[in-house]
Amino acid sequence: MRGVRAALMLVLCCVISVGAFAAEKPVKVLLIAGDDIAPYHDWRDISESTRDVLVESGRFDVKVCEEPMILESKTALAKYDVIVMTLFTNSDPSITDAAKENLLSFVEGGKGFVVHHLGSASFKDWDEFGKLCGRKWVMGKSGHNPRGVFEAKIVKKDHPITKGVENFRIFDELYSKLQGDEKIEVLVSAYSDFSETEEPLIFVRPYGKGRSVHNAFGHDFKAIKNPAMKKLICQSVEWAATGK
């Protein structure tokens, strides 16, 4: 009997160990970066800082690609759990219908998408991209006051993205008048003197079976590496990928 119990305990320990290993499997992230409107952003600094934050958490395996043409390959995208788009606007790249379909199918099928700061201005003539983002920066309509310190408010404290984060102060651009009318769930906001209204700065929406997160923060490494922002970035990417 003791031998049977010992054997059962050994099997149970193995099951627990395998379960723990599976739970610790890193989230596979495809970070798409690229050119921006110089000299207003240092796009490589933004992408590298975002990657640093994710990698340092120990929860993510991050691949950086500086060409949106990776969207052409459904096979390449299949390896990832979430796509994070930082910046790609200066040359206003057009992408093929196949690339568009691959991105939308990736999210609709149950995976994640996170758009960062001015990334939502990408593909200005592609309406569905704006719907995927929930809101979109539109040149000539959206704007912000000069970069400075402002207080960000946690609107929903019970969401996995904002868990453990309190209201915080940050030195950043406060994006205002993002365009769009899709239904969104606002998680973080701040009052803008530019628009004289409370502006949504981190918000989410479902897209098919997947999840979209829009993070309007992150002008540079100072904003990205703000302690509260680091936590919000990691939790945003993990939630987009897993729903947890």
Side-chain angles (χ1 to χ4, degrees), residues 206-227:
Y207 194 86
K209 296 179 181 178
R211 296 151 298 279
S212 171
V213 181
H214 189 140
N215 181 354
F217 292 91
H219 172 80
D220 62 5
F221 76 95
K222 293 179 182 178
I224 292 167
K225 295 196 173 181
N226 173 289

Side-chain angles (χ1 to χ4, degrees), residues 29 44 59 62 70 73 77 92 125 128 141 144 147 150 187 197 200-201 211 213 220 238 241:
V29 180
R44 183 164 280 115
R59 303 206 301 273
V62 184
I70 191 172
S73 174
L77 298 184
D92 189 26
D125 296 323
E128 193 61 30
K141 293 184 178 180
H144 59 81
R147 188 166 43 137
F150 60 89
L187 305 181
T197 190
L201 295 179
R211 296 151 298 279
V213 181
D220 62 5
E238 188 165 6

Side-chain angles (χ1 to χ4, degrees), residues 21-32:
F21 177 78
E24 294 172 1
K25 184 178 179 180
V27 173
K28 291 189 173 296
V29 180
L30 173 61
L31 195 160
I32 301 178

Side-chain angles (χ1 to χ4, degrees), residues 28-32 71 77 80-87 95 100 102-108 110-116 118-123 126 128-135 161 203-207 209-215 236-243:
K28 291 189 173 296
V29 180
L30 173 61
L31 195 160
I32 301 178
L71 296 173
L77 298 184
Y80 300 98
D81 303 308
V82 57
I83 293 172
V84 177
M85 179 172 285
T86 55
L87 297 172
I95 56 175
K100 293 176 181 179
N102 288 342
L103 173 58
L104 299 181
S105 296
F106 178 89
V107 187
E108 285 176 330
K111 295 189 177 184
F113 176 74
V114 179
V115 65
H116 175 97
L118 197 58
S120 70
S122 302
F123 318 123
W126 182 19
E128 193 61 30
F129 181 73
K131 294 179 182 179
L132 176 62
C133 295
R135 295 288 184 273
I161 288 176
F203 46 91
V204 300
R205 70 179 304 257
Y207 194 86
K209 296 179 181 178
R211 296 151 298 279
S212 171
V213 181
H214 189 140
N215 181 354
S236 291
V237 174
E238 188 165 6
W239 180 83
T242 67

Side-chain angles (χ1 to χ4, degrees), residues 144-173:
H144 59 81
N145 276 339
R147 188 166 43 137
V149 177
F150 60 89
E151 181 174 0
K153 304 177 185 66
I154 305 300
V155 178
K156 290 200 169 182
K157 295 185 177 182
D158 58 349
H159 195 280
I161 288 176
T162 54
K163 184 178 180 180
V165 183
E166 301 294 332
N167 293 353
F168 60 96
R169 294 178 67 78
I170 188 169
F171 181 68
D172 203 352
E173 292 175 336

